[in-house]
Amino acid sequence: MPPKSVLFVCLGNICRSPSAEAVMKKIIKNQSFSIHLDSAGTANYHTGGPPDERAIFVGKSLGYDLTALQARQVNQQDFYEFDVIFAMDENNFKDLQKIKPTDATAQVMMFDKTAIADPYYGDVQDFKAMFLHIEQASQNWLQKWCGGDNHE
Ligand code: 4NP
């Protein structure tokens, strides 16, 4: 069964996690279930701002709409409100563990075994590669949640 809610977390919440939110939103759009999706950053550098313009631009070219998203910082409440919190890389994962309340109900996990590379200091090609990696990881989760004969 898919989780009811998923939060994607990266560092700035302007490149990787809003992109993952947009990709997963589109992927589950035509499914028979819905998942509440959101994204946040471990840092507050970009709070209130839009996604990186390169993420918006490359996302649009691949059919994803990131224009309505607004950066925010992850907070303690998130560890109770979301079933699953996906870290985009190991640093995000470690930072989440540091602030995770002891009685948190969310499961904090890496989004993929391989970190989603931070494209912030890269170019448009790095953003393209980021989207492809996110698409693959999203499909893997969908398969894990819904695929096969597993009715758990
Ligand atoms: P993100 O990328 O964590 O994928 O949103 C970054 C965004 C901003 C910064 C670093 C990474 N920054 O240093 O401002």
Side-chain angles (χ1 to χ4, degrees):
M1 283 286 285
K4 287 191 184 62
S5 55
V6 171
L7 180 69
F8 296 98
V9 174
C10 60
L11 176 62
N13 192 210
I14 58 168
C15 300
R16 293 165 292 173
S17 61
S19 300
E21 179 185 348
V23 168
M24 191 66 95
K25 268 185 182 151
K26 188 166 184 197
I27 284 177
I28 65 161
K29 203 173 173 176
N30 295 318
Q31 300 291 328
S32 56
F33 57 87
S34 66
I35 305 176
H36 170 60
L37 298 168
D38 195 6
S39 63
T42 55
N44 68 355
Y45 319 134
H46 300 280
T47 295
D52 187 288
E53 61 184 7
R54 297 162 296 176
I56 293 176
F57 174 79
V58 175
K60 190 176 177 193
S61 77
L62 297 169
Y64 304 112
D65 182 11
L66 276 74
T67 54
L69 305 180
Q70 202 182 45
R72 73 171 180 90
Q73 190 174 23
V74 65
N75 61 62
Q76 299 245 316
Q77 202 56 35
D78 290 321
F79 290 90
Y80 304 99
E81 284 182 2
F82 289 88
D83 289 345
V84 171
I85 300 180
F86 279 138
M88 294 294 120
D89 68 24
E90 289 86 353
N91 286 329
N92 308 144
F93 185 81
K94 282 182 210 150
D95 288 339
L96 285 166
Q97 294 297 344
K98 280 183 212 154
I99 59 164
K100 183 182 168 182
T102 48
D103 62 345
T105 48
Q107 246 192 305
V108 181
M109 292 185 274
M110 286 288 287
F111 183 46
D112 193 31
K113 283 193 291 291
T114 313
I116 308 292
D118 185 354
Y120 186 65
Y121 295 103
D123 58 22
V124 163
Q125 280 311 316
D126 297 300
F127 278 81
K128 182 101 191 284
M130 171 195 75
F131 271 102
L132 297 181
H133 192 173
I134 288 170
E135 284 173 340
Q136 188 60 61
S138 300
Q139 293 291 357
N140 288 348
W141 280 108
L142 194 69
Q143 178 68 27
K144 197 172 157 69
W145 290 332
C146 310
D149 258 339
N150 192 337
H151 295 290
E152 277 176 59

